[in-house]
Amino acid sequence: MPATPLSFTNPELDLHQSGVVVFRGTGPAGATLDFEFAARQRAQRTVNASGFWEVKMRVPAGKRRLEATATLPDGTSTTIRRNVDFRDASAIAELSSPPALSEVDDLGTPPILSHARLGIGVTDPVWWELRYETLRHITIPSLVNAHVPGHRLLLGVDTAISQDILETLKTIVRESGAEEFADLVFIDSVWAYPEAVQNYLRLHFGDVPAILHGIDDDDAVAGDFFRLARQKVAAEDPDSVQVHTFPFGLMYNIELHRVQLGVFPWHSMNQFTYGPPETIHILRAHSHNRIQFEGERRGWVVRVHEDAHLGYVYTHHKQSDSGYVKRLETMRLNDQSFPLGTEQAAYFGLHHNALEDLSRRIGAMPSVTGRTWLVSTQYQDAERDLQKAVQSIKKLRLDATREIVERESVKVAAPECSVEIPGDSDPGLARFEGKYLPEHFVRISVDGIDRASLFINRTGSWNYPIRLEPGQHVVELVGVSPRAATSSPTATSFTVPADSPR
């Protein structure tokens, strides 16, 4: 197996927050790793058996050079270098200045769909109590604040949630002002979610290329997020499939009511995809931190906008699924964090007083017992397999009914008949008789008036008696197939004698 190459994995970008930084990377397992920061601070580590290393240092603000050298037991070595701009909390004021936006933002195109999975797979009413708060005070107000013409919001909810939960969610959407562009959509499972997103795109936007934006039920975006997203899309080839991200934002801890600069290039709320609905919806089946690689694998345009301002709020709270306690204590002691201000909250459409109140109340709310997506893994895997089976069966069903209408004119043989006039033995009677195709019908009209439609049994024989006035008559026959195809008409003239009164 080839040795793992030497690389930096953190910082991910060329701009990072100063203070305490954990530098991470990869390298050949067992190699000696010499790390140097700004030609001043040094540390030595051993690359672990999995090919990873990390060094923790306190670094000042400024543009600094990083250097890492991996030395193998045989004495051979490899060195990599990288320049990173480290900024402290004061940089937030600079990053919060919105960029100039072009006229493209006012046209309502391309259409935009934001979507959020609201606890699909979770029905615990106590868990929902905190999610009501984050939706009411963070996520939905943020999306209302950022809303632009042509933007819609899909809120996916589990079909198994109680009516009480559903009614509360409806109230939150209505009272937040999102009712005109937001829809609650029932979802059977997380594996059915991508198809639900595609169907929603088709329903509201048709098959035109659109911007697809995901967000968790406790995060937020900046007020100009969607206008800037349209500007970034317009700067690329309009026929390309595109994946974009705004890496800089704020990390907000509800309990502490504090924020610090966040650098997450590929989180859920700060990235968006542009392209045809039938193409981009498949990304909903991938984790947010895999979208970049999936886009690159498919040859799509992938952009990390390091020139962008603060684009999002990533929220930490006691029901977060990702290592909350460690994040809580880190921010509590981090000299680069500071209280969330009124102007900063408003920038993301958040109400500062409501968040202060939630910060006071969150201590009484329970924590989760584990990561929600791991608690039911075995059942989710079973659902995934069943979903694949359902899709396979659905394809067979669609194939079976894809052509149920005749593609060519079906030729149906024309029926014929003999006409019998009994005369004196039964005055005025005419009898039509013939042979025709079993399980077909024969339509009979006399003198242009419909008289009967006869089903032809297995013998193929049929007859039809009728009493008529003396004189000249015409019987017309039309054959009808089991699929309603009709034959050309055939006509037979006959005479009922005058001496055969009815």
Side-chain angles (χ1 to χ4, degrees):
M1 178 180 294
T4 304
L6 183 61
S7 71
F8 290 109
T9 58
N10 190 60
E12 295 182 68
L13 304 177
D14 294 334
L15 175 64
H16 199 77
Q17 183 176 334
S18 58
V20 176
V21 178
V22 179
F23 298 98
R24 296 188 179 91
T26 64
T32 299
L33 190 288
D34 291 292
F35 180 81
E36 182 178 282
F37 174 80
R40 296 181 221 167
Q41 302 183 62
R42 295 174 177 82
Q44 190 174 84
R45 299 286 187 272
T46 299
V47 180
N48 67 22
S50 300
F52 296 100
W53 58 268
E54 71 173 46
V55 175
K56 186 176 182 179
M57 288 183 174
R58 176 175 290 277
V59 302
K63 295 182 179 180
R64 312 293 178 184
R65 190 181 75 168
L66 313 180
E67 182 175 297
T69 299
T71 304
L72 296 172
D74 63 6
T76 59
S77 64
T78 303
T79 300
I80 58 173
R81 298 176 180 85
R82 183 172 164 194
N83 294 317
V84 177
D85 184 3
F86 293 92
R87 301 189 188 183
D88 59 23
S90 63
I92 290 179
E94 175 188 343
L95 290 172
S96 295
S97 301
L101 296 174
S102 69
E103 292 300 318
V104 71
D105 311 304
D106 300 322
L107 301 178
T109 57
I112 302 171
L113 174 61
S114 294
H115 61 92
R117 299 188 313 194
L118 307 187
I120 296 175
V122 181
T123 57
D124 184 347
V126 179
W127 179 89
W128 274 97
E129 291 177 4
L130 178 54
R131 297 296 160 153
Y132 293 150
E133 300 288 354
T134 58
L135 281 169
R136 181 182 286 116
H137 299 305
I138 298 176
T139 305
I140 298 185
S142 161
L143 293 171
V144 170
N145 180 57
H147 179 66
V148 292
H151 169 238
R152 296 199 64 83
L153 170 61
L154 181 160
L155 299 170
V157 296
D158 200 305
T159 53
I161 62 171
S162 70
Q163 192 65 31
D164 288 343
I165 293 174
L166 181 61
E167 293 302 325
T168 302
L169 292 174
K170 289 164 62 178
T171 299
I172 291 172
V173 171
R174 183 176 65 254
E175 292 180 347
S176 69
E179 194 171 30
E180 290 187 0
F181 66 91
D183 293 296
L184 290 161
V185 177
F186 284 118
I187 310 291
D188 283 329
S189 74
V190 293
W191 303 111
Y193 190 65
E195 185 177 18
V197 171
Q198 181 190 17
N199 289 337
Y200 192 94
L201 284 166
R202 293 173 59 200
L203 177 65
H204 291 279
F205 304 141
D207 59 358
V208 301
I211 293 174
L212 186 59
H213 166 250
I215 189 168
D216 288 340
D217 53 11
D218 51 9
D219 295 329
V221 295
D224 57 357
F225 187 94
F226 299 122
R227 289 178 291 151
L228 186 58
R230 280 181 173 154
Q231 187 180 57
K232 295 299 185 183
V233 166
E236 304 290 344
D237 180 354
D239 294 327
S240 63
V241 179
Q242 308 169 27
V243 184
H244 299 259
T245 184
F246 300 139
F248 305 115
L250 294 180
M251 294 185 291
Y252 171 56
N253 188 292
I254 297 178
E255 189 171 344
L256 300 177
H257 195 54
R258 296 179 71 83
V259 294
Q260 70 182 60
L261 181 64
V263 182
F264 294 101
W266 295 102
H267 222 294
S268 54
M269 85 300 284
N270 63 329
Q271 62 176 276
F272 56 92
T273 308
Y274 168 80
E278 69 273 14
T279 300
I280 61 176
H281 86 281
I282 59 175
L283 294 180
R284 298 308 95 209
H286 296 276
S287 171
H288 60 79
N289 55 11
R290 299 295 306 170
I291 299 297
Q292 172 191 12
F293 306 111
E294 188 64 20
E296 291 173 346
R297 185 182 72 82
R298 294 172 179 272
W300 297 346
V301 172
V302 177
R303 298 284 186 262
V304 179
H305 298 289
E306 295 188 45
D307 60 334
H309 64 302
L310 296 181
Y312 61 88
V313 172
Y314 177 40
T315 305
H316 301 167
H317 53 79
K318 63 198 309 182
Q319 286 187 9
S320 297
D321 279 332
S322 303
Y324 173 66
V325 175
K326 181 177 180 180
R327 291 180 172 182
L328 172 71
E329 297 306 314
T330 299
M331 186 176 289
R332 189 190 303 276
L333 301 175
N334 191 338
D335 57 8
Q336 294 293 309
S337 71
F338 48 91
L340 175 67
T342 302
E343 290 185 4
Q344 290 160 347
Y347 180 70
F348 296 95
L350 313 181
H351 299 291
H352 188 265
N353 292 341
L355 292 178
E356 278 190 321
D357 176 64
L358 178 58
S359 178
R360 289 189 290 268
R361 292 185 289 112
I362 197 172
M365 296 181 177
S367 302
V368 291
T369 58
R371 294 184 176 183
T372 55
W373 72 78
L374 296 179
V375 172
S376 58
T377 299
Q378 59 178 320
Y379 307 112
Q380 291 183 41
D381 290 346
E383 280 186 324
R384 177 194 59 204
D385 294 340
L386 286 174
Q387 182 71 16
K388 289 181 179 178
V390 168
Q391 292 301 315
S392 297
I393 295 171
K394 180 179 179 180
K395 183 179 184 303
L396 294 174
R397 172 173 60 80
L398 292 175
D399 288 343
T401 59
R402 200 168 300 282
E403 292 189 1
I404 59 173
V405 176
E406 301 288 359
R407 289 301 190 268
E408 298 180 1
S409 298
V410 177
K411 295 182 179 180
V412 180
E416 296 181 354
C417 72
S418 61
V419 181
E420 180 185 355
I421 307 295
D424 293 342
S425 62
D426 197 345
L429 180 69
R431 180 177 286 109
F432 311 130
E433 295 179 337
K435 298 281 289 185
Y436 197 54
L437 301 169
E439 299 187 353
H440 283 54
F441 284 81
V442 172
R443 295 175 184 169
I444 302 173
S445 63
V446 178
D447 300 332
I449 299 173
D450 291 334
R451 296 291 188 172
S453 182
L454 306 180
F455 178 72
I456 310 303
N457 61 25
R458 292 181 181 178
T459 67
S461 299
W462 63 272
N463 71 81
Y464 179 73
I466 183 173
R467 293 191 180 278
L468 298 169
E469 296 289 344
Q472 189 75 22
H473 298 278
V474 176
V475 58
E476 185 175 271
L477 308 178
V478 174
V480 183
S481 78
R483 293 188 178 182
T486 56
S487 72
S488 300
T490 58
T492 303
S493 298
F494 62 97
T495 301
V496 175
D499 57 355
S500 298
R502 293 185 60 191

